[in-house]
Amino acid sequence: MTDDASALTLPEELLLLTLDTERGRPLCKRSSLRYAMAGAALAELELQGVIREERGRVRVVTPLGPAHPVLSTLLGTLGAPAGKSRFFSGTSPRVWTRQYARNAEELHLAHLVERGLLRRETWRVLGVFPSLRHVPGDPDLTGATRRRFGRAEARSFPDGRSRALAGLVSATGLAGTLTTGGREGRSAMRAARRAHWIASAVHQNVRQRQSSGTGGGGGGWSGGGGWSSGD
């Protein structure tokens, strides 16, 4: 593992990029991050040539899964490679990112803890209720992911990978928090979100969640597998 975050997958980079290192939790709502993590997994699979967009849906194009264990597991939920039938239906990216949001986040969290890039700490809310938080491990790549993102922003997100990440950051609502370029940076991330089919699907899920007024608690945040309690 290098110290410049270049060996991270897109979901791993997104997770570290959006980590509040002092509180050990995301900078955004947990539900928003989970949708974005699922989207980042799809985006990484697309960058590796494993899936592609076809008629607005996900199409698996190769039976050879990635070496990364979490990505391989998530790829298995997308089904076998489709044939050349003109009746191809595929998988809706919006439905998939909603359905596998929690899996994507928690599997990547556990994998980063296993590799030592995050450290899981247990603490007690009000001295009674057990909760978890995640803090940088060794090496600490959180700063490296921020610098990498800032360099890409300074160059207007020049490649497919950086544009996918920028679009996902915008979808979570963190463009204003993570930009180093002010209004221009936020605008560039918003443009990337609108142009990227996966980031757009993630954003639709985030907005639907916000409009429904449902919270983001439960699951592994206060128990055995997520960040920490609350949003």
Side-chain angles (χ1 to χ4, degrees):
M1 175 64 66
T2 64
D3 62 359
D4 64 356
S6 63
L8 295 172
T9 65
L10 200 59
E12 292 168 345
E13 190 167 0
L14 177 67
L15 213 164
L16 295 178
L17 181 66
T18 57
L19 176 67
D20 183 330
T21 57
E22 293 186 1
R23 296 189 299 167
R25 57 185 288 180
L27 292 164
C28 61
K29 286 186 176 292
R30 168 207 177 192
S31 57
S32 299
L33 177 65
R34 284 184 162 182
Y35 292 139
M37 286 293 294
L42 288 182
E44 180 68 33
L45 291 172
E46 182 182 40
L47 288 169
Q48 293 187 20
V50 178
I51 67 168
R52 69 167 178 252
E53 183 270 338
E54 186 170 310
R55 304 174 204 169
R57 302 176 80 84
V58 180
R59 177 172 184 150
V60 179
V61 295
T62 174
L64 299 177
H68 192 282
V70 178
L71 292 174
S72 181
T73 296
L74 293 172
L75 175 63
T77 69
L78 290 168
K84 298 182 179 180
S85 171
R86 62 191 179 93
F87 299 107
F88 163 72
S89 58
T91 302
S92 162
R94 184 176 179 182
V95 171
W96 191 90
T97 53
R98 185 168 61 243
Q99 184 175 358
Y100 289 96
R102 177 171 179 172
N103 301 65
E105 181 212 36
E106 294 189 352
L107 288 171
H108 278 98
L109 272 172
H111 188 62
L112 287 176
V113 169
E114 181 181 344
R115 292 164 60 193
L117 298 180
L118 286 178
R119 190 173 71 254
R120 183 171 290 166
E121 296 181 346
T122 303
W123 61 296
R124 291 187 177 275
V125 180
L126 302 176
V128 177
F129 304 104
S131 188
L132 295 174
R133 65 177 185 172
H134 290 79
V135 296
D138 183 19
D140 179 357
L141 294 185
T142 54
T145 60
R146 297 280 176 89
R147 291 190 294 272
R148 180 182 172 95
F149 188 74
R151 289 194 297 269
E153 182 184 0
R155 298 170 59 200
S156 300
F157 304 109
D159 54 79
R161 179 188 176 87
S162 64
R163 286 192 293 273
L165 186 58
L168 291 166
V169 166
S170 178
T172 66
L174 287 178
T177 301
L178 297 176
T179 183
T180 58
R183 180 179 297 178
E184 290 185 4
R186 296 194 300 273
S187 296
M189 289 184 228
R190 183 168 59 250
R193 184 197 76 213
R194 291 172 173 170
H196 196 279
W197 63 291
I198 298 171
S200 179
V202 168
H203 186 238
Q204 291 176 50
N205 282 331
V206 170
R207 291 194 55 148
Q208 181 178 8
R209 182 86 176 202
Q210 292 171 341
S211 64
S212 69
T214 53
W221 286 60
S222 58
W227 294 84
S228 62
S229 60
D231 279 333

